[in-house]
Amino acid sequence: MLEIFNNYLNEKLTTLIVNDIKKTGELHFALDSLSYEEKTLLVKELNNLSDYVAYLDAGNVKVKKINFDSTAEGTQYLRFGIVSDNETSHNYLDDSQEDGVSVFELKERKPVLSNLQLVESFSGRFNIEAFIVTGEKIGVGYDGEPLLKNVKYVAKKSDIDFMGITLEVLDNNFNSKTGSYDEEDKEIHQNYANGEQTILFGGFTYSEPVSEFESFIGRKELKK
């Protein structure tokens, strides 16, 4: 860790930061002397360390020591982001707290994306640190995702094909697809025109969802 920070900061500041991380197990530091691009590179390098997770939060660099348990038993799930101390997740659509930690169910090592709300949630997390976790399922969240308590980290997960998985789910659940592939188009958009819903992602336009697929995105009370 010392060597990584030395690439970006002076030796004195590096020593203070690394000692603080080792003492407390975490760091929340603005690092105003670094550009956003430098902070991004620093976070990427720190995430190569097996026992630590680094990420950006409102432009600040955060580092946290994680105890991974590769022998943890139970059903495995995919989790994006650090688990909060109170083991709840924030629902940004209605500005409330879920009863547990939001995760994605895994089937054959892929996330189960059974409705469009889950697809949108998954596809937008390509820049968030991912983990394999276990835990006690205590309910279902707003998007239809499992909610966990007593969460244990099993391992980091870095080989997720966000674009490929999202396109596969959309291909399987919409009858009409037009357009051409655009790897830069990573955000799902939905449009309504003349009573018809279309979904835009990856350079493609999807319409005519299959009957068993819930294709609504947004707050439930706004659903028509």
Side-chain angles (χ1 to χ4, degrees):
M1 182 181 293
L2 191 66
E3 292 79 5
I4 294 175
F5 274 104
N6 271 335
N7 292 331
Y8 297 88
L9 304 168
N10 65 60
E11 184 176 351
K12 183 177 180 179
L13 184 55
T14 291
T15 301
L16 289 173
I17 288 174
V18 172
N19 286 342
D20 192 42
I21 293 173
K22 290 181 177 180
K23 180 180 178 180
T24 65
E26 58 185 288
L27 164 77
H28 182 180
F29 210 85
L31 300 181
D32 291 332
S33 63
L34 301 183
S35 67
Y36 181 83
E37 290 73 18
E38 288 172 324
K39 292 178 184 179
T40 301
L41 290 172
L42 171 59
V43 164
K44 185 176 181 180
E45 289 192 50
L46 290 170
N47 276 323
N48 289 327
L49 301 173
S50 58
D51 295 333
Y52 290 88
V53 173
Y55 55 103
L56 287 178
D57 181 16
N60 296 333
V61 174
K62 288 192 175 184
V63 182
K64 189 175 182 68
K65 184 174 176 59
I66 301 292
N67 295 318
F68 291 99
D69 183 2
S70 61
T71 65
E73 298 181 351
T75 302
Q76 293 188 345
Y77 300 88
L78 180 64
R79 164 67 188 176
F80 289 94
I82 299 294
V83 175
S84 65
D85 292 339
N86 63 2
E87 291 196 323
T88 63
S89 292
H90 190 75
N91 181 343
Y92 291 94
L93 283 172
D94 63 0
D95 195 24
S96 65
Q97 293 297 116
E98 300 281 15
D99 293 330
V101 176
S102 294
V103 295
F104 289 88
E105 182 183 351
L106 287 172
K107 184 176 181 180
E108 297 178 354
R109 295 190 290 184
K110 287 185 178 181
V112 175
L113 307 176
S114 55
N115 61 60
L116 193 59
Q117 192 80 61
L118 283 173
V119 177
E120 183 197 39
S121 178
F122 167 78
S123 66
R125 296 173 187 262
F126 56 88
N127 59 351
I128 302 177
E129 191 70 19
F131 308 94
I132 300 297
V133 301
T134 63
E136 175 190 356
K137 183 178 178 181
I138 54 92
V140 178
Y142 182 94
D143 297 340
E145 79 282 14
L147 298 177
L148 304 183
K149 287 290 188 181
N150 301 316
V151 178
K152 293 183 178 179
Y153 294 94
V154 177
K156 291 183 182 181
K157 180 71 172 173
S158 59
D159 57 346
I160 303 173
D161 181 6
F162 289 91
M163 183 68 77
I165 292 172
T166 302
L167 288 172
E168 180 181 6
V169 174
L170 294 176
D171 288 347
N172 290 337
N173 288 286
F174 286 84
N175 291 313
S176 177
K177 173 185 177 182
T178 59
S180 58
Y181 179 66
D182 179 1
E183 65 179 0
E184 298 300 321
D185 183 13
K186 298 179 180 179
E187 185 175 350
I188 287 181
H189 296 278
Q190 69 172 343
N191 292 326
Y192 284 93
N194 300 320
E196 180 184 29
Q197 178 196 34
T198 56
I199 302 298
L200 287 70
F201 179 79
F204 299 103
T205 298
Y206 292 88
S207 59
E208 301 175 22
V210 299
S211 58
E212 63 271 19
F213 185 68
E214 175 56 76
S215 63
F216 178 76
I217 300 176
R219 295 177 59 177
K220 288 183 172 63
E221 65 266 28
L222 300 180
K223 182 179 177 180
K224 298 180 179 180

